[in-house]
Amino acid sequence: MTRDQFVYFPALSCSRIKKHYTGDISYAKVALELGVSLHHQLLDLKPEQMNLEAYNVHKAIGSHPVASRIMNGAINEHPMIKEVQVGRHTIEGKAMFDIYNSQLNVIADIKTTSARTLDVFASDMVKHYNHIQAVWYSLIAGIDPKNFFYIGVTSRSKRLGSNSDTILVYRHSDQEILEARKLITGYLDQNIDQLKSHFNSSYKS
Amino acid sequence: MKAELTLKIDSLYQVINDPNNLKAQQLINDAPSKVEDKLSYDITEHTIKLANEVLKSIETSRKAITSPLDAYKKQIMDVEKEAVEPLKKYIESAKSKMLDYNNELERVQREANEKLRIESEKALEDAPFDVFNTLAGYFVDQAVSINTEQPKNIRVTKKARINGEVNWSMVLNVLFAAECIDYQDLLTPLAKAMEKCGVVKIDGIEIYEHKTQVIR
């Protein structure tokens, strides 16, 4: 499945749910485009093809015990479409995993971040409703959301000689996962009919 | 300290309009426009001297007015200095203590991170697939728990200092490439420096005689 095919595939994505709560985030366009560029470098290219910044990040991730093990043998940019059940709703969902390690049953998502510390990074993930993404992706992959990890790329990790300290790896707490489930359910409670007509897909309520 | 300051600039106008000075200015107007023989050279030399004299008398008169101003400003600044010096000293010392505290926190965080990194590296390297999630999750949660307080308002800037034998050629190349220095800044003192060090020739550099007319 190509990226375009994935984008236009009629199924519910986490970005649609997140947008319901975040509203318009066009102010973050520049930051998001920079993130897309780094994603492309890190996930689509071989190390020798990467630009210097991406290569430094690649090396830093490689020196992080958790991040490197997750990336080792994983599939990058892996699309998945699956019927998921959330509360009393069943709907076809889609997700594009940055990093999917089927052996470890782990998903990881690369996030560029301005945070310098893990607590700020963790709080940013919730503030930007990324815990919805963690739970949604986990539902589609059929894994425990505790097996969804963020790999936070800081500005320091782009520098020459950056080490594992510059990579922030985080997974959500039980409380954050519970909160995300409520947000997803709340969204579906309000929008399931609209989604039904939009996707014209099979669902059960 | 004087409470008032009276400025008398009439004296400056008097000097500017002094008949002798006006006469000198007239001589400047009549001075030869070209220096092409001994006579025109001598006349020009004489005129420069006259012009310098006028210049100095006006400057002296100006200084008579502005010197009290400078002294007055200095007195005001001394009053200010007396008041602000203890505050500045306190701020400097307090900031230094805060930076020490921040450095200590960073050290604690660095050591905790390193300990956890070594521990997790060892544990995760050969962890079977079925226990990886539990272990990785444990270490990630641990990393969150050892996260130390981060003081606000710390600006980190990079600076350079010498810690060994320096490749000055590279230093200059980098500074030139980044347009941080102008080559003229290096050329101005170069001839004297070469003479002092007994260096006769540097590739790409010409030592030439630059002349200045020094009549005062």
Side-chain angles (χ1 to χ4, degrees):
Chain A
M1 178 181 261
T2 65
R3 178 167 276 278
D4 276 353
Q5 283 172 328
F6 173 81
V7 169
Y8 294 110
F9 192 89
L12 181 58
S13 67
C14 80
S15 54
R16 187 182 286 263
I17 309 172
K18 275 167 66 176
K19 200 173 173 186
H20 175 76
Y21 292 104
T22 59
D24 179 29
I25 55 162
S26 55
Y27 59 87
K29 193 171 172 244
V30 174
L32 291 172
E33 279 171 2
L34 284 173
V36 168
S37 166
L38 185 72
H39 269 71
H40 164 68
Q41 292 277 327
L42 276 177
L43 302 175
D44 298 342
L45 303 181
K46 291 176 182 168
E48 58 270 24
Q49 297 170 315
M50 295 174 187
N51 64 31
L52 185 60
E53 279 193 352
Y55 182 74
N56 292 337
V57 173
H58 167 79
K59 294 284 280 182
I61 290 174
S63 68
H64 192 286
V66 176
S68 62
R69 182 75 198 273
I70 291 173
M71 288 193 84
N72 188 18
I75 310 167
N76 295 343
E77 308 235 287
H78 181 65
M80 193 178 277
I81 288 150
K82 191 181 170 188
E83 195 175 71
V84 293
Q85 187 164 7
V86 186
R88 62 196 175 88
H89 306 294
T90 304
I91 190 161
E92 195 153 46
K94 62 179 178 178
M96 176 77 82
F97 309 137
D98 276 356
I99 298 149
Y100 178 54
N101 193 320
S102 56
Q103 279 185 317
L104 299 174
N105 231 11
V106 163
I107 303 167
D109 201 73
I110 303 270
K111 296 284 183 206
T112 49
T113 177
S114 60
R116 286 172 56 86
T117 59
L118 198 48
D119 59 337
V120 175
F121 178 62
S123 132
D124 280 354
M125 289 303 99
V126 176
K127 193 167 82 183
H128 299 307
Y129 291 93
N130 285 323
H131 51 336
I132 288 177
Q133 180 189 359
V135 170
W136 187 250
Y137 278 24
S138 304
L139 282 167
I140 289 171
I143 64 166
D144 183 341
K146 298 288 278 184
N147 292 350
F148 179 99
F149 293 87
Y150 296 106
I151 298 177
V153 173
T154 65
S155 54
R156 287 175 301 140
S157 57
K158 296 173 187 169
R159 294 182 194 153
L160 199 65
S162 57
N163 58 25
S164 62
D165 284 355
T166 64
I167 299 294
L168 303 172
V169 178
Y170 180 66
R171 68 170 182 172
H172 284 297
S173 66
D174 293 336
Q175 183 58 40
E176 288 162 353
I177 289 167
L178 195 65
E179 176 66 21
R181 279 188 193 282
K182 280 184 192 166
L183 291 171
I184 295 170
T185 308
Y187 171 77
L188 288 175
D189 286 346
Q190 281 183 46
N191 297 283
I192 192 75
D193 291 336
Q194 259 184 308
L195 292 168
K196 176 190 169 187
S197 64
H198 185 72
F199 297 134
N200 194 21
S201 64
S202 60
Y203 80 105
K204 298 155 206 159
S205 297
Chain B
M1 187 190 154
K2 286 180 189 173
E4 286 182 14
L5 187 71
T6 311
L7 297 177
K8 291 180 180 171
I9 58 168
D10 292 353
S11 56
L12 178 62
Y13 286 117
Q14 275 171 15
V15 172
I16 291 170
N17 295 315
D18 182 271
N20 285 334
N21 286 344
L22 292 175
K23 192 179 163 193
Q25 283 173 29
Q26 185 56 46
L27 280 173
I28 292 167
N29 290 338
D30 296 340
S33 58
K34 289 181 181 174
V35 179
E36 49 197 3
D37 51 26
K38 187 172 184 316
L39 179 64
S40 59
Y41 189 94
D42 289 347
I43 292 173
T44 303
E45 184 180 2
H46 180 67
T47 314
I48 288 173
K49 281 180 181 171
L50 276 175
N52 262 330
E53 277 168 22
V54 174
L55 195 148
K56 278 172 193 164
S57 66
I58 293 173
E59 190 182 62
T60 306
S61 176
R62 190 268 301 162
K63 279 185 178 170
I65 300 166
T66 56
S67 295
L69 269 178
D70 293 339
Y72 190 73
K73 184 184 172 189
K74 189 180 176 304
Q75 285 182 58
I76 294 172
M77 288 178 78
D78 286 346
V79 173
E80 181 204 18
K81 191 178 176 185
E82 202 176 320
V84 302
E85 203 61 28
L87 298 171
K88 281 187 175 174
K89 274 188 182 164
Y90 164 75
I91 290 170
E92 198 178 323
S93 149
K95 279 184 173 179
S96 167
K97 285 175 193 164
M98 290 171 83
L99 279 176
D100 287 347
Y101 174 66
N102 181 59
N103 287 340
E104 177 59 12
L105 284 179
E106 282 184 1
R107 186 192 63 78
V108 169
Q109 180 74 68
R110 206 166 39 243
E111 285 183 8
N113 280 350
E114 183 58 12
K115 193 178 164 207
L116 190 66
R117 191 188 64 77
I118 293 168
E119 201 182 330
S120 56
E121 212 165 52
K122 202 173 165 189
L124 291 173
E125 196 178 12
D126 303 316
F129 295 147
D130 54 340
V131 297
F132 172 83
N133 302 340
T134 314
L135 276 176
Y138 166 78
F139 286 117
V140 169
D141 296 347
Q142 279 292 105
V144 175
S145 71
I146 61 167
N147 198 70
T148 61
E149 170 198 357
Q150 293 295 315
K152 291 184 290 184
N153 299 324
I154 303 283
R155 182 190 295 150
V156 181
T157 47
K158 289 201 165 182
K159 293 193 173 183
R161 61 183 167 210
I162 293 174
N163 72 345
E165 196 174 325
V166 182
N167 180 347
W168 288 108
S169 168
M170 177 63 99
V171 171
L172 285 176
N173 279 340
V174 169
L175 290 172
F176 277 132
E179 294 181 349
C180 292
I181 53 171
D182 187 339
Y183 69 89
Q184 196 58 48
D185 297 339
L186 299 178
L187 290 181
T188 304
L190 186 60
K192 270 192 178 175
M194 286 172 69
E195 201 175 322
K196 197 173 173 182
C197 296
V199 174
V200 180
K201 191 175 183 302
I202 296 177
D203 288 348
I205 297 287
E206 179 197 5
I207 301 300
Y208 67 101
E209 290 185 341
H210 174 75
K211 290 174 182 163
T212 313
Q213 177 53 262
V214 291
I215 300 169
R216 291 187 195 283

